């Protein structure tokens, strides 16, 4: 048995049937010229044949007498017919039908008696494209490592016919074939539970307090900060990276500042449309990767900072400047922390969300209103057996008190946005896509483009 880290245990503790804790990617491919209707089916069969499963993808939670999630077991014989599936969309085969299927797949928990991942090859789009939806439990990977695994299984060579699978391209922890007995493992786990020292927690608390001082208000309650149900709705769209860079260069800010301002304008418009825009500005939690260049792709190495979204400001240029200033101050606080304290601060930020997942309610005001995550991706075109990746849409987690999640990833020369919302708490989620386009146009006009 391999021991879990505190954040891995936290991700499992927060999970319930109405509160699944997996991250996912929806990859959209254009088949190569001359490909026949059997291309997607052949691709599925080639993926299914990759039975060299890496240790990371053989893990599932160990069953211990305490009932606590302390360690990982490893499956010796993995049923790939269960984990790798082939689906077809109903007519008329639009992206709308693809996102409806994705929403249903994203709403269900992974089976904890099996390794915590699934891959679905989906054909039936009327324009000849096909999709691959893969979900992996957040206890196994964070958003950055999930995207690295999915894109790392592709090739930069359009002529490369070698089929790779995410579950066979990663080096993971050793398979504990010589694990001690169950009682020995339990005793070892109890003795070795990582405990954050008082100095670490104190520094994390101080850093979080200092970061909150950079914000003008506590996060207001909004229609997003409510208990949620289990059903999800997913939405996705791409924007040219160059448009975001043009605003960034004209305003003298970062790409992420422009992304946050784009989201802020869209959230402001959406909440006004719902007659639910609070007077105080929304606060975003912005995940920050702490993964070192030589660090393996599995596990969780992430913290977060808070950003004032300035949704109370009407002027897009002033909103962008306010967001940029807020992010600079929050990142300055983060830069002064050692890695252990930075991770502890992120765990403290997430603790109300975890508590909401365990209790099914909300005991405290929201520490933030929405999670907005910008995940680095490949800068060059990628292919799967000659099929070009046209979109790589991340689908993350909606939680009790956090009914909406916005995650985006770079894919070649585009930014691909994936939105996940509680189907009940966030009505007409797809309208946010239109508001994102309008918000970007407003920013372009505000900076003189």
């Amino acid at each position: 048995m391999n021991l879990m880290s505190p954040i891995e245990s936290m991700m499992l503790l927060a999970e319930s049937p109405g509160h699944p804790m997996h991250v996912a990617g929806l990859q959209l491919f254009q088949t190569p010229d001359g490909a026949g209707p059997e291309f997607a089916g052949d691709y599925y069969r080639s993926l299914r044949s990759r039975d060299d499963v890496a240790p990371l993808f053989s893990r599932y939670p160990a069953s211990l007498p305490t009932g606590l999630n302390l360690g990982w077991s490893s499956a010796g014989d993995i049923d790939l017919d269960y984990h790798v599936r082939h689906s077809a969309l109903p007519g008329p085969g639009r992206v709308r039908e693809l996102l409806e299927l994705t929403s249903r797949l994203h709403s269900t928990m992974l089976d904890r008696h099996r390794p915590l991942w699934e891959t679905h090859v989906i054909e039936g789009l009327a324009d000849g494209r096909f999709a691959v939806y893969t979900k992996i439990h957040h206890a196994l990977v964070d958003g950055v490592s999930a995207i690295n695994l999915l894109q790392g299984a592709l090739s930069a060579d359009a002529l490369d016919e070698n089929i790779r699978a995410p579950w066979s391209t990663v080096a993971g922890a050793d398979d504990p074939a010589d694990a001690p007995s169950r009682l020995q493992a339990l005793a070892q786990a109890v003795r070795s539970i990582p405990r954050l020292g008082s100095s670490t927690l104190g520094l994390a608390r101080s850093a979080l307090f200092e970061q909150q001082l950079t914000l003008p208000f506590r996060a207001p309650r909004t229609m997003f900060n409510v208990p949620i149900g289990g059903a999800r709705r997913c939405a996705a769209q791409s924007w040219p990276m160059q448009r975001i860079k043009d605003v960034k260069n004209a305003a003298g800010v970062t790409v992420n500042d422009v992304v946050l301002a784009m989201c802020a304008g869209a959230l402001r418009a959406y909440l006004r449309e719902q007659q639910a825009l609070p007077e105080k500005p929304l606060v975003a939690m912005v995940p920050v990767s702490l993964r070192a260049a030589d660090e393996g792709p599995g596990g969780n190495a992430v913290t977060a900072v808070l950003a004032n979204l300035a949704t109370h400001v009407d002027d897009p240029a002033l909103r962008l400047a306010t967001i940029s200033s807020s992010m600079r101050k929050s990142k300055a606080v983060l830069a002064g922390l050692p890695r252990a304290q930075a991770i502890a601060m992120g765990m403290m930020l997430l603790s109300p969300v975890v508590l909401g997942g365990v209790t099914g309610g909300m005991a405290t005001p929201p520490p933030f209103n929405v999670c907005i995550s910008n995940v680095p991706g490949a800068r060059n075109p990628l292919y799967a057996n000659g099929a070009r990746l046209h979109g790589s849409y991340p689908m993350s987690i909606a939680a009790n008190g956090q009914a909406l999640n916005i995650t985006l990833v770079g894919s070649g020369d585009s930014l691909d946005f994936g939105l996940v919302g509680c189907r009940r708490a966030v009505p007409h989620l797809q309208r946010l896509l239109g508001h994102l386009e309008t918000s970007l146009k407003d920013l372009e006009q505000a900076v003189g483009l």
Side-chain angles (χ1 to χ4, degrees), residues 102-177:
T102 302
S103 300
R104 290 195 295 274
L105 295 174
H106 204 64
S107 300
T108 57
M109 282 180 62
L110 290 160
D111 183 354
R112 290 202 182 188
H113 297 93
R114 301 173 183 267
L116 297 176
W117 62 276
E118 292 175 7
T119 288
H120 301 254
V121 177
I122 305 166
E123 61 178 304
L125 283 164
D127 58 10
R129 292 183 294 176
F130 71 98
V132 179
Y133 168 84
T134 301
K135 65 180 179 181
I136 312 172
H137 203 285
H138 207 330
L140 291 179
V141 296
D142 57 31
V144 172
S145 54
I147 293 299
N148 287 343
L149 286 168
L150 296 180
Q151 293 191 346
L154 305 177
S155 174
D157 182 1
L159 301 179
D160 186 355
E161 297 181 353
N162 183 28
I163 306 297
R164 302 168 184 85
W167 55 87
S168 63
T169 59
V170 56
D174 293 336
D175 192 353

Side-chain angles (χ1 to χ4, degrees), residues 215-237:
L215 301 170
F217 308 102
R218 288 183 64 87
R221 284 198 181 274
T222 72
M223 62 181 289
F224 304 135
N225 308 120
V226 296
I228 65 172
R232 299 288 176 265
R233 191 183 297 277
C234 299
Q237 191 165 315

Side-chain angles (χ1 to χ4, degrees), residues 255-301:
V255 165
N256 203 45
D257 292 339
V258 179
V259 165
L260 290 171
M262 186 177 167
C263 294
L267 291 168
R268 172 182 163 88
Y270 176 85
L271 290 171
R272 289 186 70 179
E273 187 178 76
Q274 300 293 322
Q275 298 183 346
L277 179 66
E279 293 182 1
K280 297 179 180 180
L282 272 64
V283 174
M285 182 188 78
V286 184
V288 177
S289 176
L290 300 175
R291 190 170 300 279
D294 59 350
E295 197 166 344
N300 285 267

